[in-house]
């Protein structure tokens, strides 16, 4: 997970969680621009719980799956960019 990678690079201890908003809140004191990821995190967190284990819950629709991939890619690319700036 890219948010956890950023927190690790900042030597920040984070809880074991799949709730992206909690991880995002830990990133904000280091870099306020992470706030732009709030909508993506809010949308992805429930999807991670709903569709994590197959069988009991309906599968995501193709549209939901595409949206999740798009949002996850947005978070990944942003975190990747922030990690590169730490290396410079």
């Amino acid at each position: 997970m890219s948010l956890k990678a950023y927190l690790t690079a900042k030597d920040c201890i984070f809880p074991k969680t799949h709730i992206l908003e909690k991880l995002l809140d830990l990133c904000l004191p280091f870099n306020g621009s992470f706030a732009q990821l709030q909508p993506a995190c809010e949308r992805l967190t429930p999807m991670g719980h709903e569709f994590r284990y197959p069988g009991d819950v309906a599968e995501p629709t193709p549209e939901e799956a595409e949206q999740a991939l798009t949002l996850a890619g947005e978070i990944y690319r942003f975190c990747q960019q922030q990690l590169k700036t730490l290396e410079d």
Side-chain angles (χ1 to χ4, degrees):
M1 174 173 296
S2 50
L3 293 171
K4 290 179 180 180
Y6 181 80
L7 292 169
T8 298
K10 292 302 232 172
D11 294 323
C12 178
I13 297 171
F14 50 87
K16 184 176 180 178
T17 185
H18 296 295
I19 300 172
L20 299 178
E21 296 91 338
K22 285 186 178 184
L23 297 170
L24 185 64
D25 286 344
L26 293 172
C27 294
L28 288 171
F30 298 110
N31 184 338
S33 63
F34 272 85
Q36 67 186 303
L37 299 178
Q38 186 72 31
C41 289
E42 288 174 356
R43 179 68 181 116
L44 282 175
T45 292
M47 293 178 119
H49 293 285
E50 288 176 37
F51 306 119
R52 185 169 179 88
Y53 302 105
D56 292 339
V57 180
E59 297 285 323
T61 65
E63 294 80 18
E64 289 172 323
E66 186 65 36
Q67 181 185 35
L69 286 172
T70 299
L71 294 172
E74 176 186 326
I75 293 170
Y76 174 81
R77 286 185 295 279
F78 181 84
C79 290
Q80 184 180 38
Q81 181 183 36
Q82 299 309 309
L83 287 166
K84 283 183 182 178
T85 63
L86 295 178
E87 294 174 356
D88 296 339

